[in-house]
Structures are given as structure tokens and as C-alpha cells.
Amino acid sequence: MKFSVQFLSFFVIHNEGSDPDGPKKYKHYQTLTHEEYQDSELKAFLDGEFKRIAKRKAEINAVSENVPTKIGRFIVEPGYDLTSNPNYNLFQRLRTANDKVEFHNFSDDVLRLYMDTNSVRGGAFVMATAKLNELYDDPFLFLFKCDFESKIARVSDERSLITQVEMAINAKNIKAIQYPHMPEEGMVEEWELKIHQASHARYFEDFLKYVSYEKSKPEIVADQVMEMVHQYMETKWQAADIPYYDAGSEAEEEVAGAPVTEEVAAMRQEKQQFDVWAAGEKRELQEKWSHDHVVEATKQLVELQPDLELRFKLDDILIKGHMEDYGGNIHIAKMNGRYVVLIEGDSFQFEKGVSPIELLHPEEMQDVLQRVGNGVRRRASGEAPSLD
């Protein structure tokens, strides 16, 4: 995969004063044609970056909310086409620029919009169009943003710009946009772009106001689980002749002034408990649903997303598997007031070093349960631990 640069504009964003969070300005350093790029010091730094961002894998529904590489989609009103989207039009003007002056002017428009974002920081900002000649007639657009480290980055003049910023331009620091998205070689999605921003600052999501991103898989699962919770609450409280109203619904507003009975207060308290639980980053076992209810719920989730991960901690012990393992290979129980996780399988595999545990001849389950029960009772009574 070899990209051929058509035009490239290089800008530098810098602080007006000594405050790194203070006002910023930018300066245009060079705009290069294909021929000028071939002789430029930029070529050695950026040639690999075109291929790198193009090769990065990303999913429409990311595996987590904080993945560095995402797929965005241009937002349009129903019945309208892509040309109604301001971000698309901005990118398209760059892709169709006829000469270096036009490309510079359109690049300047992009940078002025970027300067209005809250997360803007000093550094190099590069815009380039580049072709995959063996596959496509139209070029791809690439935007690269690289933060400067103040101790090493010094940009002095237009001719020697790269020798001063060499340490700032590297794969570790670069954030990038590629348009259009290329899911695989030979295929492009005009409605989609790819962004890569390996930092907590949402550089490009803040900048591209008319681009949307699908929910991550954990967010989708959370929505599905909360829908199940609402169904459970509705069934439970309607069986007790108490109407259940989801938060913010018109029905809830209609009864807001009605007398609050003990049952209604209990229903609202339970709903609040579920809301607090769902919003927590670290959550505890709620002990609300039966085993069969949980098995049925996990089946519904796995049917939609077969590769869902099951990951939790029992005290400081991490258990990791798949959602479909619950009720099959992974079991959760209580014994004498303490939680027990039972994992079953056909074989063990140990890695990284040798331990005496690998020499174990396993006991029968009833013997282990008896030993665990004895240990719980001893701890409860304050007895000293036993080796039996």
C-alpha cells in the first residue's frame, strides 16, 4: 500500500504567551506539490503514517468507549445527501483542490475551525491529499496533528522546519484523520471517516461537529440491560397493582402530584437504586434476579453479540471469560454468607513460570466445599486458621 502525495500543507500552532493553556495562534510554513514533497524532509517522516492510519483496524461499534481509533459518519437530515454536511464539504474541497494555492486556502479554513476547539494545543498540523494509484482515481484526505514537547521542539524558519521538529513527529504522538474510510483495499465508504487520537483529549470529535459515532459495544449492552431492568420493574410492580413509570416519561409527570403510598415509594426507591447501580463505574452484586432470570438475560445479549466478555473481580481475584459461559462453565453462589465462584472445564493450562499448584491432584468437590465451609465458620468464630 503506497500512497502518492498530491498536495500537503504544513502549519504550526503555538502559544501567544507562556501559559500552555492560553490563547493560540497558527502559522503556515509550506504547501507542497507532489514533486516538492518528494524532495522534502517531510517525506521520510510521513510516508509511513499514511499507510499506518489506513491499516489501523476500527469497528463501527467500538469494543470500548475509549478506543483510540473510531469510525465517524457524516450527519445529514432525512432526505438530504452528503453535500448538506458542512464537514463533508470542507473535506471535499481539499480533495478536489486544483493547485497548491487552492489547497493552502482550503487547509487554512480547516485550521481556523480546529483552532476554535477547547482541546487545541500547540504543535504541528499537516493536511495532505494522497492517492493509491493502483486502486483509486480520487485521493484520500489525511489530517495529522502532533503535539510539541516544549523542551525539544523549536521551529525557526520556513526552509528548515522539519529538522527542528523531528522529535515531535513520530508515530507515538500523531493524531490523524483519514477520509474516506477504507474498510479494506478496493472498498471505500464515502459517508465515513476514520479518526485516531491516542489521548484523553477528544481532538477531532470536538472539531468535527457534524460527524457522529455509533455507541460502543459496552454502551449498547448497558442500554439493553437497562431495558431488561425496566421490563422487570414493570412486570413486578404491575403484578402488585402499582403502575411503573420510566424516568422522564409523560405518564410519570401525570402522576407526579398523586398521593405517594408506601408501595409507590418502594417502587421509586428500587428504581433509584437501579439507576445508581447502572451509573457506577465499580459496581457490586445486586442480588435482585434469580439464576434462571440471569441466564435468560445473558442469552438475549449473546444472541445479538456472541463475543461479549464477562469480567469481574471477587475481592482481588480477577475472573475473565465470555458472557455465554455464565451458567455453563462459570457459576456464582453463596456459602455461609460468602460468595463463591465455581469455574468448570476439561483441562488446565499454566503459563509464565512453574508453580506447585501445577502438581496438584484435585480433591473431590464435596471435600472442597466442606473445607471452605469449615474455614468460613472458623473465621466467624475467631478461631486460628487450620491446615486441615
Side-chain angles (χ1 to χ4, degrees):
M1 187 184 292
K2 184 173 178 60
F3 285 91
S4 175
V5 169
Q6 307 301 297
F7 296 107
L8 182 145
S9 278
F10 187 101
F11 296 82
V12 170
I13 301 169
H14 58 87
N15 299 321
E16 286 191 293
S18 58
D19 183 2
D21 297 321
K24 306 287 191 301
K25 286 185 176 181
Y26 71 91
K27 178 180 179 181
H28 170 248
Y29 271 71
Q30 287 186 17
T31 293
L32 309 176
T33 63
H34 171 76
E35 292 74 18
E36 291 168 335
Y37 176 78
Q38 300 307 308
D39 298 326
S40 167
E41 292 169 328
L42 274 171
K43 181 177 172 61
F45 289 99
L46 290 183
D47 267 4
E49 293 303 321
F50 295 113
K51 180 179 179 180
R52 191 169 288 116
I53 182 63
K55 287 281 190 181
R56 279 196 180 99
K57 297 298 182 184
E59 299 182 45
I60 298 296
N61 299 113
V63 296
S64 77
E65 297 178 49
N66 297 318
V67 293
T69 309
K70 295 182 179 180
I71 304 301
R73 187 174 179 85
F74 291 113
I75 301 169
V76 299
E77 294 292 332
Y80 289 82
D81 60 19
L82 274 171
T83 58
S84 66
N85 183 290
N87 292 152
Y88 166 80
N89 290 332
L90 200 63
F91 284 4
Q92 199 63 10
R93 285 199 295 270
L94 281 164
R95 292 180 72 205
T96 57
N98 294 312
D99 53 48
K100 63 186 292 184
V101 174
E102 198 169 67
F103 188 84
H104 169 209
N105 291 336
F106 293 150
S107 296
D108 196 82
D109 292 339
V110 172
L111 198 53
R112 279 190 285 108
L113 287 176
Y114 176 77
M115 294 293 289
D116 289 335
T117 61
N118 294 325
S119 57
V120 64
R121 294 171 60 188
F125 200 107
V126 179
M127 280 163 270
T129 49
K131 283 187 176 183
L132 276 176
N133 290 317
E134 67 274 17
L135 292 175
Y136 309 105
D137 294 328
D138 296 325
F140 289 85
L141 173 64
F142 294 90
L143 279 65
F144 297 112
K145 171 63 171 58
C146 183
D147 299 332
F148 285 161
E149 295 184 29
S150 57
K151 293 181 181 179
I152 60 172
R154 299 181 305 277
V155 180
S156 57
D157 61 67
E158 287 81 351
R159 284 181 238 177
S160 60
L161 56 97
I162 284 304
T163 56
Q164 275 75 25
V165 300
E166 177 176 351
M167 294 297 292
I169 297 182
N170 59 66
K172 183 178 179 180
N173 287 339
I174 284 181
K175 293 87 178 172
I177 298 175
Q178 174 197 334
Y179 175 74
H181 175 217
M182 181 172 57
E184 57 185 71
E185 292 187 35
M187 178 188 299
V188 293
E189 294 288 349
E190 284 196 319
W191 286 77
E192 296 174 357
L193 55 86
K194 184 194 297 183
I195 67 170
H196 176 76
Q197 44 190 14
S199 71
H200 296 295
R202 289 294 170 238
Y203 287 87
F204 298 133
E205 290 176 55
D206 192 15
F207 161 50
L208 299 170
K209 299 183 183 300
Y210 304 99
V211 172
S212 65
Y213 306 87
E214 294 292 335
K215 290 184 176 180
S216 66
K217 290 180 179 178
E219 289 176 302
I220 294 173
V221 171
D223 288 346
Q224 291 169 338
V225 172
M226 288 310 296
E227 186 177 340
M228 294 175 183
V229 167
H230 292 313
Q231 291 173 353
Y232 158 79
M233 290 280 287
E234 185 174 0
T235 301
K236 173 182 176 179
W237 290 102
Q238 284 186 351
D241 292 327
I242 305 297
Y244 170 71
Y245 303 106
D246 190 7
S249 67
E250 293 181 6
E252 186 179 41
E253 294 175 5
E254 290 175 5
V255 300
V260 179
T261 64
E262 289 185 9
E263 292 82 2
V264 170
M267 182 269 291
R268 290 181 177 176
Q269 182 180 10
E270 184 176 32
K271 182 187 179 305
Q272 185 179 26
Q273 290 172 347
F274 274 121
D275 290 341
V276 171
W277 159 74
E281 291 189 11
K282 294 184 178 180
R283 299 172 301 280
E284 298 180 351
L285 202 65
Q286 297 299 296
E287 301 192 23
K288 295 281 189 181
W289 289 359
S290 69
H291 166 75
D292 291 340
H293 195 150
V294 173
V295 167
E296 182 58 35
T298 56
K299 282 183 179 177
Q300 294 180 39
L301 296 175
V302 170
E303 285 176 2
L304 296 172
Q305 298 188 53
D307 59 344
L308 279 178
E309 184 182 65
L310 174 62
R311 184 185 179 99
F312 60 92
K313 274 188 174 182
L314 181 61
D315 292 340
D316 293 326
I317 302 171
L318 176 65
I319 292 92
K320 182 178 177 181
H322 291 92
M323 192 76 72
E324 63 181 357
D325 292 330
Y326 176 78
N329 299 330
I330 298 177
H331 312 270
I332 298 175
K334 291 188 78 172
M335 185 174 183
N336 296 328
R338 286 170 62 86
Y339 294 117
V340 176
V341 176
L342 174 63
I343 303 173
E344 59 174 302
D346 295 320
S347 63
F348 279 93
Q349 184 175 8
F350 294 87
E351 298 178 356
K352 294 184 179 179
V354 176
S355 75
I357 297 171
E358 298 174 44
L359 303 175
L360 176 71
H361 187 284
E363 303 171 83
E364 292 299 319
M365 176 59 70
Q366 58 268 26
D367 297 331
V368 174
L369 292 177
Q370 182 178 355
R371 179 159 48 81
V372 171
N374 291 339
V376 171
R377 284 190 291 273
R378 278 194 297 269
R379 281 189 291 271
S381 64
E383 295 179 28
S386 171
L387 296 178
D388 295 334

